């Protein structure tokens, strides 16, 4: 049905509604001018007072509390017939108005989208992170329940789209039927489970264990499982459930223990001993399992964070773990993770397939020197003090001879207290085309990019095309860098800045004369 047809139908219904309203007013006029009606109304008023009636804007009086007493209204048959006709008219008018309201929704652009487009939008929305409640309620309402309550069409599409119900996010004990609903409506599809206990203290270990009792019968179709909690008891409850489980479709496993209750850590002696053949990505925070043995084998992504005294890896364990995953492509090591004895020399560890490496803490220099990663494309350094950064820079061989990272394209610095970068630092990493600086002395980098610091007319990092700065940025310094690189035919192609620039459109517009500018409001530092 086309847009014009819908408009024509609404116009016709509006015409009918107007006719009904005119006819209603004529009927009311006939009733109120009838002498028998007037006498009866006057008698009731004198007997009971004005409070027993209420008056509509059109003067139509209705008895508030009908009574069978002798003093109740007794109208003539003709008046009663007219009153019945008014009530029938009002019922028809109400139906017409309901149809107009229903059809009018199709004139809103979003309601004219084809179902297949809505399905794609719903799927994307279901995967977007929601930090707070989707609705005004203090209890988070899952996205699929929100879209299913908008209209009949949206509800039918949502209910009949199994993929929309495969992202099972639990951040609150309520709504109570959310998990069973997902398990039912996902219709056997692989499911992704996230249990985030950090948002409320109501997700205690027994409550989470109750959710797990519902989820475990479907473990054969788990695709991702992530737990974030600050309570070791919750991790142990999950561990007991997963000890002998078999999850043949599980690809990503995250077990994160964090919080402010000291250096908490958990040891799980058995996990997924039934098998997890598809597992390729693991993240553990303050948690250890038997390293280098199933299911921690054949991984492509390994993410270890804050392994304390009982969970920290020894060199041999770390070596064996890397050997058990010969196709590792991403390695993230944050905080404390491996114990390297001071003064001891360790054989280098080769990871020829590694493409992404993130290091943080006070062993960045030793770890970067220890790991041989000739195919590395992205390097992230986080939470460095100035001494550690200086030692890292000093340890880098000259990039003109290949250097430590001959294939490196992207460098990210996160919360790094840096000394001023030098030309030697730039020459050690000559292949950089994307630099990200987050809370890490942006001005020091920008100064080094200026023309006056060029050596033999060559600017620092001539391949640089993308620059991300989530930090306090000196606009004039930034503008000078962007303009100079354009003039020297080494232009930046994309510039990503943080939210303060949103409030000054003029600053953004002047930069956009030379480069594409994007603004970000939030940065996920816990990716």
């Amino acid at each position: 049905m086309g847009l014009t047809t819908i408009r024509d139908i609404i116009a016709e219904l509006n015409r009918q509604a107007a006719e009904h309203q005119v006819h209603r007013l004529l009927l009311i006029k006939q009733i109120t001018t009838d002498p028998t009606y007037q006498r009866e109304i006057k008698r009731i008023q004198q007997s009971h007072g004005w409070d027993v009636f209420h008056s509509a804007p059109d003067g139509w009086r209705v008895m508030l509390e009908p009574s069978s007493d002798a003093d109740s209204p007794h109208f003539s048959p003709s008046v009663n017939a007219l009153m019945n006709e008014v009530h029938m008219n009002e019922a028809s008018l109400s139906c017409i108005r309901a149809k107009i309201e229903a059809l009018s929704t199709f004139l809103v652009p979003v309601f004219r989208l084809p179902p297949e487009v809505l399905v794609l939008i719903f799927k994307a929305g279901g995967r977007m992170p929601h930090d707070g409640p989707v609705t005004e309620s203090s209890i988070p309402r899952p996205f699929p329940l929100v879209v299913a309550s908008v209209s009949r069409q949206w509800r039918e599409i949502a209910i009949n789209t199994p993929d929309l119900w495969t992202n099972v996010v639990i951040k609150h004990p309520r709504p109570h039927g959310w998990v069973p609903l997902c398990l039912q409506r996902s219709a056997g599809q692989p499911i992704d489970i996230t249990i985030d206990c950090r948002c409320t203290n109501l997700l205690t270990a027994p409550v989470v264990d109750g959710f797990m009792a519902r989820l475990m019968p479907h473990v054969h179709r788990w695709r991702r499982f992530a737990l974030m909690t600050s309570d070791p008891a919750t991790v142990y409850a999950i561990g007991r459930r997963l000890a002998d489980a078999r999850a043949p479709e599980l690809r990503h496993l995250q077990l994160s223990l964090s919080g402010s209750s000291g250096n908490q850590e958990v040891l799980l002696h058995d996990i997924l001993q039934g098998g997890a053949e598809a597992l390729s990505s693991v993240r553990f925070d303050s948690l250890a399992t038997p390293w280098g043995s199933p299911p921690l084998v054949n991984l492509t992504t390994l993410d270890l964070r804050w392994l304390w005294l009982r969970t920290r890896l020894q060199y041999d364990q770390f070596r064996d773990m890397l050997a058990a995953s010969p196709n590792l492509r991403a390695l993230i090591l944050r905080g404390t993770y491996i114990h390297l004895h001071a003064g001891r020399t360790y054989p280098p560890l080769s990871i020829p397939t590694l493409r992404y490496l993130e290091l943080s803490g006070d062993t960045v220099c030793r770890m970067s020197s220890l790991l041989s990663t000739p195919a590395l494309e992205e390097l992230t350094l986080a939470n460095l003090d100035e001494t550690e950064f200086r030692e890292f820079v000093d340890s880098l061989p000259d990039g003109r001879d290949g250097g430590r990272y001959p294939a490196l394209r992207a460098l990210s610095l996160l919360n790094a207290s840096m000394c001023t970068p030098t030309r030697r630092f730039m020459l050690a990493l000559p292949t950089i085309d994307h630099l990200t600086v987050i809370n890490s002395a942006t001005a020091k980098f920008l100064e080094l990019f200026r023309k006056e610091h060029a050596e033999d007319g060559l600017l620092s990092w001539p391949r640089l095309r993308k620059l991300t700065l989530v930090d306090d940025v000196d606009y004039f310094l930034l503008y000078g860098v962007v303009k100079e690189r354009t003039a020297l035919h080494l232009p930046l192609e994309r510039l990503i800045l943080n939210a303060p620039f949103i409030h000054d459109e003029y600053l953004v517009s002047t930069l956009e004369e030379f480069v594409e500018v994007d603004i970000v409001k939030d940065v996920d530092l816990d990716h």
Side-chain angles (χ1 to χ4, degrees), residues 32-75:
T32 56
T33 58
D34 186 289
T36 61
Y37 172 84
Q38 294 176 349
R39 287 196 298 269
E40 187 64 15
I41 291 296
K42 185 177 180 180
R43 183 186 67 81
I44 296 299
Q45 290 174 345
Q46 290 174 345
S47 300
H48 298 279
W50 288 91
D51 292 340
V52 297
F53 294 99
H54 69 77
S55 178
D58 53 24
W60 176 237
R61 297 187 180 280
V62 182
M63 200 65 183
L64 284 179
E65 297 181 4
S67 173
S68 59
D69 295 342
D71 288 334
S72 61
H74 295 285
F75 299 116

Side-chain angles (χ1 to χ4, degrees), residues 94 189 244 248 465 526:
S94 177
Q189 297 289 320
D244 299 316
R465 293 295 179 266
D526 191 47

Side-chain angles (χ1 to χ4, degrees), residues 393-411:
V393 172
D394 290 342
S395 72
L396 292 174
D398 194 322
R400 288 172 290 193
D401 299 325
R404 182 177 297 166
Y405 306 117
L408 192 67
R409 297 184 300 101
L411 173 65

